[in-house]
Amino acid sequence: MANTTRTIMIAIDDSDHSEYAFDFYAEHIYKPEDRIVLVHVPEYSNILSTSSLLTDPNIVSELLKDMEERTRDLVEKYSIKMREHNVSGHVKQQCGKPGEAIIEASREEGITMLILGTRGMGLVRRTFVGSVSDYCLHHSDVPVLICRHKTSKHSKGHHS
């Protein structure tokens, strides 16, 4: 019998959008034999590599402590969510620009599918800065599922 294990990568951060993506996976896509990789790209990895303003070691140290604490909280939150949904997997922390780092992690892990939340940026902002979901969609070697949060202000919906 062929190996039926899928490796699903879900990008996480401390937003409602990534929580919605995880919940969508757990409720609609999950199969018991799935292996889950939650990938997290801390914000500071991008800031530290691009900012010339961070020359004060005390500021850098405080920033790192704050981000490490937020990352620990995030890992704990998703560890609990995985246990609640009886999902097995691990968290992979990746450094760099978020889109590039997620794609790099997806290749390292040999994933079957990539799942992302989206902040639903407006057209102008997305045109100038791009979005992580756009980047991943165009650079992924595997199918990408982009979950738009129902309450996103840019979601299309019927008004009564």
Side-chain angles (χ1 to χ4, degrees):
M1 193 166 117
N3 180 6
T4 56
T5 302
R6 305 181 304 179
T7 301
I8 311 290
M9 179 170 280
I10 305 171
I12 61 167
D13 59 20
D14 57 5
S15 73
D16 291 344
H17 306 283
S18 66
E19 190 167 356
Y20 178 74
F22 179 92
D23 292 344
F24 186 90
Y25 161 77
E27 292 167 25
H28 301 288
I29 299 169
Y30 167 76
K31 289 185 178 180
E33 61 276 7
D34 285 352
R35 179 177 154 262
I36 301 302
V37 179
L38 301 178
V39 64
H40 173 58
V41 183
E43 293 168 41
Y44 69 79
S45 63
N46 196 24
I47 294 167
L48 291 178
S49 63
T50 59
S51 178
S52 58
L53 301 172
L54 296 175
T55 54
D56 182 334
N58 295 323
I59 293 173
V60 173
S61 178
E62 283 303 310
L63 181 65
L64 288 172
K65 270 190 243 170
D66 179 56
M67 287 296 183
E68 283 169 17
E69 196 173 298
R70 287 170 61 183
T71 299
R72 262 196 315 274
D73 292 346
L74 188 68
V75 169
E76 179 60 23
K77 172 184 173 177
Y78 278 92
S79 296
I80 291 167
K81 286 180 81 65
M82 285 197 290
R83 281 195 301 273
E84 287 171 353
H85 289 284
N86 202 24
V87 171
S88 66
H90 69 279
V91 177
K92 180 180 184 78
Q93 190 167 313
Q94 202 80 350
C95 290
K97 290 183 178 176
E100 293 170 16
I102 291 167
I103 293 301
E104 184 181 321
S106 73
R107 291 178 178 149
E108 288 170 3
E109 294 287 336
I111 67 166
T112 312
M113 177 188 282
L114 175 60
I115 300 176
L116 305 154
T118 180
R119 288 187 158 89
M121 276 194 253
L123 180 61
V124 173
R125 182 159 176 235
R126 193 169 55 244
T127 301
F128 289 106
V129 300
S131 75
V132 173
S133 53
D134 284 348
Y135 183 90
C136 290
L137 182 63
H138 290 97
H139 291 87
S140 178
D141 302 324
V142 298
V144 177
L145 174 64
I146 299 174
C147 299
R148 182 178 296 282
H149 196 288
K150 288 176 189 165
T151 59
S152 171
K153 67 179 179 181
H154 297 288
S155 293
K156 291 186 174 38
H158 297 288
H159 299 287
S160 37

